[in-house]
């Protein structure tokens, strides 16, 4: 907000850098858990940070442009191994603080920093970088159209064979599930199923941060022909939190080509982990694709969603059966990465296209026989489904309810002013056409 970017940047930098830009390396401040409001444990944030660093470092980038470099959480680890590192951020406070700190580090002498909007890329030289990083900033973009403009502008700066890494993207297709899981956690004991559903849907509609469906990036390939391959990747990490469950990374490969490998495909519903391990170790396929794996990270939240959808609106939340025995078909995605590391395979774990249940696909590639990155089989991108929410709509709705309240205050005595104004799409009706009061939100 204002010339210095997001409100709170200055206090963030005072804590991060000790107010001088010299005291210590960038660290995490103010990352709060949506369920508790408390900071996400530092160990889980470090895992999130380093998993992202390792994913980008695996490309062996030499010339990086980072859009939205913030406090330098990625820069401090990636820049020392590069020849060129350019960082931009909309916040002047962020850039000034990071510049002061970087100037004290000899290994960062080549880093160039500039304060600018994400879309301001017209002065970049064509093919001047091999990697563009847009990590954990997409949620602050106004809409998917702006995101497409940023990616389109960055494409010309990427050399053939390079890539655009879009990290930490909030999953639009799972937004209602995410909001439902939060409402269940914070609900009072007497809450009803209908209230939970209503509040979750309302929270999803009021969402002020951008969430993007993976299908957006698949469709983007059709509109921007320099994108030759798209990878939609689940986050790595042992911790099960909102970052690993409801966010994902995207790698847009630019120009060049990917190896055309014979891909053996198996359906996870007909296999088990020991069988899969035996195939990889014994038969040693060049490439193996495992389709439709149920996501253990989301199993509990999805089971609760199923209960809410099936029960009566008046059912008390105390009737909710919490999962005790997980479906044997569910697997933690990290299981497949660890299996690949043990057996010498590169592993790509991707959201299954159009899956509302969080299922994912896995591709194993024998790294001893393939010396270039291999993407996942390209799923279809459904054109009929919205690719993102409208963060601006929530602000407009908030302003409207404020104006409505002000108008009521001019016409009614104080005791008649509603304690809450709750926007809903329409009045819920009974089969007889009357207002269904039990289905109204509290």
């Amino acid at each position: 907000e204002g010339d210095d970017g997001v409100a709170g940047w200055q206090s963030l930098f005072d804590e991060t850098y000790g107010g001088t830009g010299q005291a210590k390396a960038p660290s995490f401040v103010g990352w709060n858990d949506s369920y508790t409001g408390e900071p996400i444990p530092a160990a889980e944030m470090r895992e999130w940070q380093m998993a992202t660093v390792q994913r980008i470092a695996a490309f062996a980038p030499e010339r990086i442009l980072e859009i939205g470099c913030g406090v330098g959480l990625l820069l401090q680890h990636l820049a020392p191994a590069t020849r060129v590192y350019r960082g931009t951020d909309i916040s002047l406070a962020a850039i000034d603080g990071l510049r002061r700190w970087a100037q004290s580090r000899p290994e960062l002498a080549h880093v160039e920093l500039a304060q600018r909007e994400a879309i301001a890329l017209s002065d970049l030289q064509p093919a001047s970088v091999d990697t563009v990083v847009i990590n954990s900033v997409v949620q602050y973009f106004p809409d998917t159209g702006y995101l497409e403009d940023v990616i389109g502008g960055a494409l010309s700066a990427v050399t053939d064979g390079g890539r655009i890494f879009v990290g930490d993207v909030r999953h639009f297709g799972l937004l209602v599930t995410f909001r439902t899981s939060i409402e269940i956690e914070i609900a009072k004991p007497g809450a009803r199923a209908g209230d939970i559903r209503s509040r979750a849907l309302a929270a999803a509609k009021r969402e002020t941060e951008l969430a993007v469906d993976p299908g957006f990036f698949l469709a983007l390939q059709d509109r921007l022909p320099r994108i030759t391959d798209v990878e939609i990747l689940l986050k790595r990490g042992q911790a099960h939190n909102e970052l690993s469950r409801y966010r994902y990374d995207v790698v847009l490969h630019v120009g060049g080509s990917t190896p055309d490998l014979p891909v053996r495909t198996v359906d996870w519903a007909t296999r088990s982990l020991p069988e899969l391990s035996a195939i990889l170790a014994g038969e040693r396929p060049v490439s193996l694709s495992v389709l439709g794996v149920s996501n253990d990270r989301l199993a509990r939240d999805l089971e609760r969603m199923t209960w809410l959808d099936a029960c009566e609106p008046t059912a008390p939340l105390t009737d909710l059966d919490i999962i005790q025995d997980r479906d044997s078909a569910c697997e933690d995605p990290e299981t497949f990465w660890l299996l690949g590391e043990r057996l010498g395979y590169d592993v790509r774990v991707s959201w299954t296209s159009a899956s509302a249940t969080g299922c994912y696909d896995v591709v194993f590639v024998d790294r001893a026989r393939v010396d270039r990155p291999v993407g996942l089989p390209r799923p279809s991108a459904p054109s009929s489904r919205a690719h993102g929410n409208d963060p601006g709509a929530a602000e407009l709705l908030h302003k409207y309810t404020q104006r409505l309240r002000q108008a009521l205050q001019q016409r009614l005595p104080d005791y008649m002013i509603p304690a809450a104004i709750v926007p809903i799409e329409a009045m819920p009706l009974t089969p007889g056409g009357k207002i269904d009061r039990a289905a109204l939100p509290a």
Side-chain angles (χ1 to χ4, degrees), residues 8 14 52-53 58 65 121 161 171 174 222 248 275 295 298 300 312 362 385 388 400 432:
D14 288 345
T52 303
V53 168
L65 166 65
L121 302 169
H171 197 309
L174 296 172
D222 297 329
Y248 62 96
E275 290 176 314
N295 194 341
L298 291 171
R300 186 166 179 257
E312 292 295 326
V362 186
R385 192 170 66 190
Y400 176 79

Side-chain angles (χ1 to χ4, degrees), residues 297-318:
R297 293 175 179 174
L298 291 171
R300 186 166 179 257
D301 291 349
L302 291 169
E303 182 72 13
R304 290 172 156 191
M305 281 282 290
T306 300
W307 179 84
L308 284 171
D309 290 339
C311 69
E312 292 295 326
T314 55
L317 189 60
T318 51

Side-chain angles (χ1 to χ4, degrees), residues 133 180 224 233 305 411 441:
V133 175
T180 301
L224 301 174
L233 305 174
M305 281 282 290
R411 300 175 64 107

Side-chain angles (χ1 to χ4, degrees), residues 105-343:
R105 314 293 297 185
E107 69 275 17
L108 303 180
H110 63 295
V111 171
E112 301 175 18
L113 299 170
Q115 184 266 329
R116 60 174 59 180
E117 188 181 353
I119 204 171
L121 302 169
S122 59
D123 62 334
L124 293 175
Q125 294 295 319
S128 58
V129 299
D130 55 49
T131 303
V132 173
V133 175
I134 311 170
N135 187 67
S136 203
V137 294
V138 167
Q139 62 265 36
Y140 306 120
F141 288 177
D143 51 42
T144 55
Y146 186 92
L147 173 58
E148 182 171 346
D149 288 343
V150 173
I151 292 172
L155 272 175
S156 63
V158 181
T159 187
D160 281 348
R163 77 287 306 166
I164 297 175
F165 176 86
V166 188
D168 214 36
V169 183
R170 301 186 64 195
H171 197 309
F172 176 65
L174 296 172
L175 183 57
V176 173
T177 304
F178 174 48
R179 284 298 171 189
T180 301
S181 68
I182 294 173
E183 291 299 329
I184 289 174
E185 288 296 328
I186 66 176
K188 296 180 180 179
R192 301 175 301 177
D195 296 337
I196 296 293
R197 279 200 299 267
S198 296
R199 285 198 289 266
L201 290 172
K205 290 175 183 175
R206 293 195 307 267
E207 182 59 62
T208 58
E209 292 187 355
L210 181 63
V212 185
D213 192 88
F216 165 81
F217 296 97
L218 300 173
L220 201 60
Q221 186 176 2
D222 297 329
R223 297 193 293 273
L224 301 174
R226 284 205 71 211
I227 299 176
T228 55
D229 193 20
V230 178
E231 295 183 74
I232 310 292
L233 305 174
L234 273 70
K235 302 291 291 186
R236 289 210 62 173
Q238 298 285 351
H240 286 200
N241 54 38
E242 61 189 275
L243 303 179
S244 62
R245 291 198 298 263
Y246 291 104
R247 301 194 184 196
Y248 62 96
D249 295 335
V250 182
V251 182
L252 305 173
H253 295 272
V254 180
S257 61
T258 55
D260 185 15
L261 298 178
V263 179
R264 177 178 173 182
T265 300
V266 298
D267 189 337
W268 180 248
T270 64
R271 299 288 179 175
S272 66
L273 197 61
E275 290 176 314
L276 180 61
S277 180
I279 293 173
L280 293 170
E283 303 178 25
R284 204 67 198 180
V286 176
S287 179
L288 179 66
S289 179
V290 184
L291 305 180
V293 184
S294 297
N295 194 341
D296 185 64
R297 293 175 179 174
L298 291 171
R300 186 166 179 257
D301 291 349
L302 291 169
E303 182 72 13
R304 290 172 156 191
M305 281 282 290
T306 300
W307 179 84
L308 284 171
D309 290 339
C311 69
E312 292 295 326
T314 55
L317 189 60
T318 51
D319 289 352
L320 176 60
D321 292 325
I322 306 300
I323 295 177
Q324 299 296 333
D325 298 318
R326 298 290 178 84
D327 185 340
S328 60
C330 291
E331 282 292 345
D332 189 321
E334 196 67 23
T335 300
F336 295 98
W337 276 301
L338 296 176
L339 177 62
E341 290 170 1
R342 180 167 60 85
L343 297 177

Side-chain angles (χ1 to χ4, degrees), residues 65-113:
L65 166 65
E66 184 180 359
I67 299 173
C69 58
V71 298
L73 294 177
L74 302 184
L75 181 151
Q76 62 176 312
H77 296 285
L78 294 171
T82 64
R83 292 191 293 110
V84 174
Y85 201 106
R86 299 188 180 99
T88 70
D89 200 279
I90 195 171
S91 168
L92 180 59
I95 290 299
D96 284 348
L98 185 57
R99 183 181 287 120
R100 290 195 301 271
W101 178 78
Q103 287 172 348
S104 70
R105 314 293 297 185
E107 69 275 17
L108 303 180
H110 63 295
V111 171
E112 301 175 18
L113 299 170

